[in-house]
Amino acid sequence: MMVSRSAKPVVLYLTRELYVTFFLLIGVSLVVFAVLYSAPGDPLAAVFGGQVLSDAQREEMMRNLGISNTWYGQYWSWLVKLFNGDFGTSLRSGQPVLGEVTKLAKNTFYLTFGAMFFSLMIALPIAIYLAKRGTDRLGWVLMMFAYTTSAVPLFWSAYIVIYIYTRFFNTLPIGLATGESMNFTQMMLPVFMLGLGSGIISETVRFLRDEISRVFSEDYVRTARAKGVSVWKHALTEALIIPVSEMIASKIPFVIGGAIIVEQIFNWPGIGRMAWQAAQDRDYPVIMCITLVTALIVRLTSLLQKTLYVIVNPRASQETKTS
Amino acid sequence: MTQYAQTQTTVSEYSELSILQRTDKRDIAYVVYGIVILLMVVCAYLMAIFGWLPHDPEEMQLELMLAGPGAPGHLLGTDFMGRDTLPRLILVIKAYFVPGLMYIAVAILLGGIFGILSGYYGNKYETVVTYITNIIDSFPRLILMLLVVAAFKPDIYYIMMVLGVTNAPLVSQLIKGKISMLRQKNFVESAIALGIPDARIIFKHILWFNCRSYLIIQATLGMGEAILLESALSYLGFGVQEPTPSWGNMVQQGANYLLQGQLWSSTIPAMAIMFTVLGFYLLGDGLNNMLEGKRQS
Amino acid sequence: MNNSPLLKIEELRTYFYSRTKQAFIRSVDGVDLEVNKGDTLGIVGESGSGKSVSMLSIMGLIAARPGIITGQVWYQQEQARINLLAGLQDHVQVSKNDGRIMSVEKTDLAWQRRLEKNMLGIRGKEIAMIFQNPKSAMNPFFTIGHQIVENITRHTQYKSRKEAKERALYWLERVKIDSPQLRFYNYPYGLSGGMCQRAMIATALSSEAKLLIADEPTTGLDATIQARIADLLEELRAQTGVTIVLISHDMGVIGRLSNKIAVMYGGRVMESGPAQAVIDHADGKSHPYTEALLKSIPREDNMSSQGHLNSIDGEVLDTINVPRGCRFASRCQRINKSIEKMCLNEEPPLATVSDGHKIRCWHFAGV
């Protein structure tokens, strides 16, 4: 219930977070730049103007583009280029990278967040069960299941699922990229596999279980019980909304990582598959762009989580003021 | 009806009970399982370096390709070239050993520096460390690895280096949390007041006396992660390269034949991964519970 | 109009099972108490004496598991007299000799479910409770107003938002919170401890409960605020006629507010009776433990010759290995040769020494 709460600290908090996000993204770009700058084979030159074959060619190209020789000069030119939306052209297809990546990023977005949803759908009931009942026999089985999902190589279990699927339906559940129409199960299978196999379930279960049992032993939850009102209503914010959103924000990189594999196996046209292709072809502009875009997604998710946190937690803005 | 009953003969004082008596039996079972797995890994390593293999890992038997477990002469079956699976599974440990150690060393070294800077030296460094760890956390691990692989070369050492760096924030957080807990108990302050030099407080009193169990737990959990990640990269073609066998590339090669119904040659190494990783997870978790339980009392 | 007590506790036992020690911790071990309508019963004892746990048991709020409660708690409603712990004894095995719990079911699920069913319509509506550390006992994610309104719409006839809000403001005024209109929209973090405790009292009373259990309501507050909260409770009791059970380790607060007092030690009631009899020894009889407690109140005449405050020697009772004899025997000052054997080997009964005044001590058992 956010009745007539002064909006000012919230705005202040979010402005601060926005600044932080901005500086983090600068840091992210520095890391990517450092990798490109220090690598052999002129990846940086590839980003600036396409493949070069010799040092002399490179020198000439840089001179023509008016880019200085110092690393900070190159970084600056590179950053300006990025801010203009120019991530270079793909060495493979010759197309501007950003357009291609954003086109496919949508598919990866559906896959990752769908998988995240599935993971939570599996992890949440287990966590609640373990928190409420402790590790009894069923709880132990559930816990072991959660661990096992994180211990099996994702691509192997995906292969097994595909194998079983083909046995039953006599058709492959793959081929979105080939433009064939797919039915619902075929669409859902990759999402489900990623949700199950990205390895975040066991950690999510443990984290949520601990949070839920901690919150349920809080004094204010006992007060709610003493009042005879709904306990879950009182515990909801701290036991579920905050930890779940934290979990989503901190685990999204892992799911994106898993998406590379799932996209590969199921022929899902996303940036994960594209990144793999680019890494094989040494298509520097593409892999650079994808790294930056995924880091951006991670930071934005984190920003969203912070926003949600400050909205549901009236103390949050207070905390930052004192710290 | 299962019941809790007073089995009271003489109940000794809590503090007199040993760790084993105090902890949940389940945690003990986890740790025992984990230690068994760990011992098997060590055995396999020794077998691999001394060459005590049950079968020649390179010998191809083309008439016995993709055999299931229990095929004549091959306890765990053969791969797509008719090579025996078991000695190859064992040989893998050798290939994992040095990269794995390097990854853990990088993670603990970097994480340790971050953790001590932010936890021990406080405010001034804390912002910087938080900033750096946040940047590291922004990258999906696998994407960052692909970037490094593309820019440099597909080499397991580069990959383990990246893994080490990306795991450093976690280690740093653990150490920092531990230090702030010690600070709350005025442990650090009193040590400083006693005139003990910083280096000694950090290395002996904080890291050795108070963090070593955490670091061991982190290392075991990390080993599991490294094995899984290697298998993922093997699938993508950037893991340990043939002809050196790795569990990842064994599963990957087997998987090529999986859709044709040849399940075994990928399932056996996949099971090896599963049981080993599970062992590491359970060992880490069980140890954690046991040690945490000790702290609570 | 009947004269049966509002709350009658018989043989209440709350045990916790310690897995590591494979034994029961007998936090509350056979408590008998009566609370009449309009009374203020003060329960006093050291920490670990089971005073809080016994009252939490009545409300079914025992959090640590596996914990188990048996006994009877008779609560007098308008018409009927109900047992709040009905059916719970089916899940335990009790010793025939002394009534202590011998074993319990391993899964407490059925037991918990039964308890929740019993408590339906009792918690909040009939019996309200306030706790110590009000700042952590109020939900930090809801406004004060919301937490009161929620209680009102749930338990009283004021169902609409507007009515409930008016009613909430009325209660905030009753507990003397300044500018209730403003505080209504405040979150607990913005309020002081004393203010929070007032808000919690308002919340508890807003459901118009007949019985208010106050679990150390003044602990953790400043001394001046403690006094004001105590005054407020006394005033509200006088105005609304609510029955109060006050738990405290502070003899001062207990003596000030209650007209009946029960002294607990090691999960047992050691002495109970009217305040004059227990504190002022109106009948000249008292339990050695009560005496020791009274002597440890920080007052000038309680200082020892060296100028130290008196304290009770010895350790708090081990509630797993409960001694066979009197629970206080090991620390008792009044133990002497003539009754030592009795004190160490058999637990004394709760003997009536004068009108309503009961003492559990071999000194008085023979009278």
Side-chain angles (χ1 to χ4, degrees):
Chain A
M1 300 298 109
M2 286 145 316
V3 203
S4 97
R5 198 163 88 229
S6 123
K8 233 177 187 166
V10 180
V11 172
L12 221 67
Y13 178 92
L14 288 180
T15 324
R16 208 189 73 127
E17 282 304 320
L18 219 63
Y19 273 127
V20 170
T21 305
F22 175 76
F23 281 109
L24 282 174
L25 286 173
I26 294 290
V28 162
S29 74
L30 259 172
V31 170
V32 174
F33 176 80
V35 172
L36 294 177
Y37 184 81
S38 55
D42 276 334
L44 202 59
V47 174
F48 277 120
Q51 203 124 34
V52 287
L53 295 173
S54 66
D55 277 355
Q57 253 185 324
R58 178 172 189 267
E59 294 272 307
E60 194 194 326
M61 189 189 81
M62 291 299 204
R63 214 174 26 250
N64 289 344
L65 290 168
I67 296 164
S68 84
N69 255 335
T70 53
W71 71 267
Y72 48 86
Q74 295 189 2
Y75 174 67
W76 180 247
S77 315
W78 180 72
L79 204 62
V80 169
K81 215 163 126 75
L82 294 191
F83 272 110
N84 288 328
D86 180 4
F87 284 65
T89 52
S90 165
L91 301 181
R92 188 182 152 95
S93 66
Q95 297 291 315
V97 170
L98 191 63
E100 290 206 333
V101 170
T102 43
K103 206 168 68 195
L104 295 187
K106 190 184 64 189
N107 292 336
T108 303
F109 184 84
Y110 292 145
L111 181 65
T112 16
F113 281 87
M116 199 84 207
F117 179 74
F118 262 122
S119 293
L120 286 172
M121 283 298 101
I122 296 166
L124 208 60
I126 298 179
I128 292 173
Y129 184 90
L130 289 172
K132 300 302 279 179
R133 298 262 185 99
T135 320
D136 57 6
R137 204 159 295 163
L138 178 60
W140 186 80
V141 171
L142 291 173
M143 192 70 214
M144 278 301 134
F145 165 74
Y147 272 120
T148 312
T149 58
S150 305
V152 178
L154 170 60
F155 74 93
W156 177 75
S157 46
Y159 265 111
I160 293 286
V161 166
I162 292 175
Y163 173 69
I164 294 168
Y165 185 90
T166 45
R167 270 300 171 86
F168 273 101
F169 298 101
N170 275 322
T171 161
L172 283 173
I174 53 178
L176 193 66
T178 55
E180 288 169 37
S181 65
M182 293 173 82
N183 64 33
F184 185 70
T185 5
Q186 284 170 327
M187 293 282 277
M188 285 328 276
L189 210 56
V191 178
F192 182 71
M193 271 326 291
L194 183 56
L196 199 64
S198 60
I200 65 167
I201 289 182
S202 68
E203 239 179 287
T204 312
V205 165
R206 263 187 303 165
F207 179 67
L208 290 179
R209 175 197 66 189
D210 293 349
E211 281 297 285
I212 292 169
S213 42
R214 180 184 66 78
V215 171
F216 268 78
S217 60
E218 289 279 344
D219 282 355
Y220 72 84
V221 176
R222 185 180 62 184
T223 309
R225 283 177 73 195
K227 280 161 75 180
V229 295
S230 161
V231 176
W232 269 107
K233 183 189 142 192
H234 278 261
L236 188 71
T237 320
E238 206 183 354
L240 281 186
I241 296 177
I242 292 176
V244 164
S245 62
E246 259 171 25
M247 218 54 209
I248 292 176
S250 70
K251 289 297 163 201
I252 206 72
F254 291 82
V255 185
I256 293 178
I260 300 177
I261 298 188
V262 168
E263 286 178 7
Q264 192 60 26
I265 293 172
F266 289 92
N267 236 359
W268 185 281
I271 54 175
R273 217 167 64 106
M274 198 184 189
W276 175 79
Q277 191 66 49
Q280 288 231 305
D281 300 345
R282 309 212 146 196
D283 195 344
Y284 305 117
V286 172
I287 184 77
M288 175 200 85
C289 180
I290 289 174
T291 313
L292 289 169
V293 165
T294 47
L296 180 73
I297 292 173
V298 173
R299 289 267 57 99
L300 288 183
T301 319
S302 168
L303 189 64
L304 262 176
Q305 182 255 323
K306 296 255 167 63
T307 314
L308 181 70
Y309 181 72
V310 78
I311 288 172
V312 298
N313 186 0
R315 284 176 301 182
S317 45
Q318 202 77 4
E319 279 163 15
T320 51
K321 230 196 278 175
T322 50
S323 69
Chain B
M1 188 165 62
T2 49
Q3 290 185 327
Y4 284 122
Q6 190 97 356
T7 55
Q8 194 171 10
T9 42
T10 46
V11 178
S12 46
E13 280 298 306
Y14 195 63
S15 53
E16 288 167 13
L17 296 169
S18 73
I19 292 187
L20 284 185
Q21 282 170 294
R22 261 185 273 140
T23 33
D24 201 330
K25 287 202 185 69
R26 235 178 241 129
D27 285 329
I28 298 173
Y30 291 168
V31 171
V32 168
Y33 172 70
I35 288 174
V36 168
I37 292 287
L38 209 63
L39 284 178
M40 281 172 71
V41 168
V42 171
C43 276
Y45 179 67
L46 291 176
M47 285 164 84
I49 53 171
F50 291 123
W52 300 332
L53 298 173
H55 203 278
D56 181 5
E58 300 301 332
E59 187 200 326
M60 298 179 214
Q61 270 186 295
L62 295 180
E63 70 281 7
L64 254 181
M65 286 191 300
L66 300 167
H74 304 287
L75 190 61
L76 292 179
T78 57
D79 71 357
F80 72 113
M81 286 163 84
R83 293 177 299 195
D84 192 273
T85 307
L86 183 59
R88 296 182 72 76
L89 279 183
I90 294 171
L91 213 54
V92 164
I93 302 294
K94 203 170 79 176
Y96 277 162
F97 202 73
V98 179
L101 277 187
M102 196 193 78
Y103 141 60
I104 287 171
V106 169
I108 287 182
L109 196 71
L110 206 59
I113 292 171
F114 286 164
I116 286 165
L117 279 182
S118 60
Y120 189 79
Y121 292 107
N123 272 337
K124 166 165 65 156
Y125 295 101
E126 205 179 342
T127 325
V128 180
V129 169
T130 316
Y131 179 67
I132 295 174
T133 51
N134 270 340
I135 289 173
I136 295 174
D137 281 337
S138 305
F139 294 106
R141 228 172 241 187
L142 221 46
I143 297 265
L144 195 60
M145 281 169 197
L146 287 183
L147 177 74
V148 169
V149 157
F152 296 89
K153 58 178 180 182
D155 186 302
I156 190 75
Y157 288 96
Y158 281 93
I159 285 164
M160 288 295 137
M161 193 77 136
V162 176
L163 187 58
V165 172
T166 51
N167 254 14
L170 200 66
V171 177
S172 141
Q173 213 172 27
L174 275 177
I175 292 178
K176 190 187 151 194
K178 191 74 207 176
I179 294 178
S180 65
M181 208 185 91
L182 293 174
R183 270 191 190 280
Q184 263 176 9
K185 291 185 192 163
N186 291 328
F187 178 94
V188 177
E189 275 69 15
S190 44
I192 295 171
L194 283 172
I196 303 172
D198 276 7
R200 217 172 119 130
I201 298 177
I202 291 168
F203 287 108
K204 189 172 169 196
H205 296 276
I206 293 176
L207 286 185
W208 182 245
F209 286 154
N210 283 293
C211 291
R212 65 181 164 195
S213 49
Y214 279 90
L215 294 180
I216 291 170
I217 291 168
Q218 207 43 48
T220 47
L221 289 175
M223 275 320 259
E225 239 174 310
I227 292 175
L228 274 180
L229 207 84
E230 195 278 330
S231 80
L233 282 159
S234 276
Y235 170 71
L236 296 175
F238 298 119
V240 174
Q241 301 293 316
E242 272 284 298
T244 314
S246 81
W247 288 350
N249 64 32
M250 287 170 79
V251 180
Q252 202 272 326
Q253 286 157 1
N256 291 335
Y257 302 92
L258 204 148
L259 295 187
Q260 296 157 22
Q262 304 288 352
L263 299 179
W264 285 115
S265 76
S266 66
T267 304
I268 293 291
M271 288 294 121
I273 292 176
M274 192 188 92
F275 285 118
T276 310
V277 173
L278 204 57
F280 285 149
Y281 281 169
L282 293 181
L283 181 65
D285 233 33
L287 278 179
N288 200 27
N289 288 350
M290 281 166 80
L291 298 167
E292 286 289 293
K294 187 181 77 182
R295 299 241 150 65
Q296 274 163 17
S297 66
Chain C
M1 192 68 212
N2 51 45
N3 282 326
S4 60
L6 182 67
L7 188 75
K8 188 171 165 61
I9 303 169
E10 292 171 354
E11 281 289 293
L12 178 72
R13 282 167 206 279
T14 307
Y15 287 18
F16 297 98
Y17 186 74
S18 159
R19 279 206 188 91
T20 47
K21 292 185 232 178
Q22 301 200 324
F24 288 112
I25 299 160
R26 295 150 76 174
S27 287
V28 178
D29 201 11
V31 161
D32 301 276
L33 277 176
E34 277 183 24
V35 191
N36 290 318
K37 219 166 241 168
D39 272 357
T40 300
L41 171 72
I43 303 181
V44 71
E46 285 168 289
S47 46
S49 61
K51 54 192 190 317
S52 273
V53 176
S54 59
M55 287 305 123
L56 287 171
S57 302
I58 291 171
M59 295 283 276
L61 292 177
I62 293 299
R65 281 208 240 160
I68 203 86
I69 314 168
T70 59
Q72 278 98 46
V73 175
W74 294 102
Y75 180 76
Q76 183 70 46
Q77 275 184 314
E78 303 275 296
Q79 283 93 27
R81 188 161 172 257
I82 53 165
N83 182 3
L84 300 185
L85 303 183
L88 295 187
Q89 69 276 9
D90 299 346
H91 303 281
V92 299
Q93 279 171 4
V94 177
S95 158
K96 294 224 162 52
N97 299 332
D98 50 2
R100 72 190 164 98
I101 301 168
M102 297 306 286
S103 63
V104 299
E105 283 172 23
K106 217 161 197 170
T107 54
D108 58 353
L109 208 67
W111 184 85
Q112 285 279 356
R113 223 174 260 153
R114 180 76 215 220
L115 189 64
E116 291 300 315
K117 208 178 127 205
N118 287 351
M119 291 299 158
L120 218 63
I122 297 292
R123 280 187 196 148
K125 185 166 176 61
E126 297 284 342
I127 309 177
M129 195 156 180
I130 58 175
F131 300 92
Q132 58 179 324
N133 301 332
K135 286 196 92 155
S136 62
M138 297 285 282
N139 191 332
F141 298 99
F142 294 127
T143 57
I144 302 288
H146 177 83
Q147 295 183 52
I148 304 179
V149 164
E150 172 192 55
N151 219 22
I152 292 173
T153 47
R154 172 106 191 171
H155 296 304
T156 66
Q157 75 271 29
Y158 306 101
K159 294 291 181 198
S160 79
R161 278 195 81 77
K162 199 164 156 280
E163 275 179 325
K165 190 189 163 184
E166 266 169 32
R167 196 69 192 158
L169 288 172
Y170 160 80
W171 278 109
L172 282 175
E173 235 163 278
R174 282 293 289 273
V175 297
K176 304 202 179 117
I177 278 184
D178 55 320
S179 50
Q181 284 283 357
L182 212 68
R183 296 297 173 216
F184 186 87
Y185 295 112
N186 271 151
Y187 288 88
Y189 72 82
L191 268 58
S192 68
M195 198 92 89
C196 261
Q197 190 57 280
R198 283 167 196 271
M200 190 144 74
I201 294 171
T203 317
L205 292 178
S206 67
S207 65
E208 288 157 25
K210 313 279 181 303
L211 178 64
L212 177 71
I213 299 175
D215 185 0
E216 308 251 4
T218 58
T219 310
L221 300 176
D222 291 348
T224 48
I225 295 167
Q226 281 188 11
R228 287 211 209 123
I229 294 287
D231 287 343
L232 177 70
L233 277 174
E234 176 56 27
E235 199 180 315
L236 287 168
R237 191 199 59 79
Q239 286 168 1
T240 60
V242 67
T243 311
I244 297 178
V245 175
L246 178 69
I247 303 163
S248 182
H249 60 265
D250 184 348
M251 263 294 189
V253 175
I254 293 276
R256 183 164 170 180
L257 291 181
S258 10
N259 60 345
K260 298 269 176 61
I261 290 176
V263 182
M264 280 185 72
Y265 183 78
R268 278 278 204 188
V269 174
M270 286 303 190
E271 180 173 5
S272 70
Q276 304 91 327
V278 177
I279 290 191
D280 307 328
H281 309 318
D283 54 1
K285 296 182 174 96
S286 76
H287 192 281
Y289 178 57
T290 318
E291 204 175 7
L293 272 183
L294 286 168
K295 275 200 187 136
S296 61
I297 299 175
R299 267 206 319 241
E300 212 169 319
D301 50 333
N302 276 340
M303 296 295 173
S304 66
S305 49
Q306 288 94 14
H308 295 305
L309 193 60
N310 288 316
S311 61
I312 309 177
D313 291 334
E315 295 274 314
V316 178
L317 189 78
D318 174 6
T319 45
I320 291 184
N321 295 315
V322 178
R324 221 173 336 148
C326 175
R327 282 158 203 244
F328 190 59
S330 62
R331 302 168 74 184
C332 188
Q333 298 286 328
R334 233 189 272 171
I335 195 162
N336 57 36
K337 279 270 152 29
S338 59
I339 55 166
E340 196 177 12
K341 217 169 178 183
M342 297 279 272
C343 289
L344 292 178
N345 286 312
E346 209 178 325
E347 187 165 26
L350 198 59
T352 308
V353 292
S354 66
D355 185 30
H357 188 193
K358 295 173 183 172
I359 295 179
R360 190 187 291 281
C361 180
W362 282 118
H363 276 290
F364 305 101
V367 184

